Amino acid sequence: MDITIQYTFLPHTDAEESLAFYRDTLGFEVRKDVGYEQMRWITVGPVGQPETSIVLTPPTPDPGTTDEERRTVAEMMAKGTYASIVLSTTDVDGAFEQVAASGAEVAQEPIDQPYGVRDCAFRDPAGNMVRIQQPD
């Protein structure tokens, strides 16, 4: 069996702010930008890696979501505990400097972790935790 990860989904609270973070700060390319009513789904991914994408999605697009569930999701997003993603680079310190210079919220400066990676972390405009690792 050969299974890969093709898409992951991260919620956004402001499509333009999230697009600016993933496209302009991280350098991802936009692959799809789909709107429906007031909602918007934007597929982005690393240049040269068309097999891996992130879909920036409205946080609760399912009409079956209750108001209480929407409140819970909004509260978790505000705390940065709802969603996260781990990216990889060969130069975490350079990536940190570039992302920090954009004004993104720094959650952790680069450190060597006891489990064998050097990493840093940011929160994207919607509050999602974006961790960037450099494997040994």
Side-chain angles (χ1 to χ4, degrees):
M1 183 180 332
D2 183 20
I3 297 175
T4 61
I5 296 173
Q6 185 171 7
Y7 296 99
T8 191
F9 292 81
L10 290 176
H12 68 72
T13 54
D14 181 310
E16 287 301 320
E17 285 182 355
S18 289
L19 178 59
F21 179 78
Y22 286 94
R23 181 193 57 205
D24 304 336
T25 300
L26 295 181
F28 287 179
E29 64 185 7
V30 177
R31 298 184 178 147
K32 289 184 184 174
D33 191 340
V34 178
Y36 176 74
E37 297 181 350
Q38 280 97 30
M39 296 182 284
R40 194 165 160 201
W41 290 260
I42 305 167
T43 303
V44 296
V47 174
Q49 298 177 44
E51 68 282 355
T52 304
S53 298
I54 300 169
V55 181
L56 305 171
T57 180
T60 53
D62 185 337
T65 305
T66 66
D67 290 342
E68 182 178 343
E69 290 168 331
R70 284 187 176 85
R71 277 191 301 277
T72 299
V73 168
E75 289 170 3
M76 291 179 73
M77 287 176 68
K79 292 179 183 176
T81 58
Y82 185 69
S84 62
I85 190 164
V86 178
L87 306 174
S88 181
T89 182
T90 57
D91 179 13
V92 74
D93 293 287
F96 175 81
E97 293 302 324
Q98 184 174 338
V99 177
S102 76
E105 181 182 343
V106 175
Q108 175 201 300
E109 294 190 8
I111 60 172
D112 294 320
Q113 298 287 359
Y115 43 88
V117 300
R118 181 169 178 78
D119 70 358
C120 64
F122 296 90
R123 290 182 61 183
D124 77 5
N128 302 307
M129 187 64 67
V130 178
R131 186 165 291 281
I132 304 173
Q133 293 185 340
Q134 177 180 330
D136 280 340

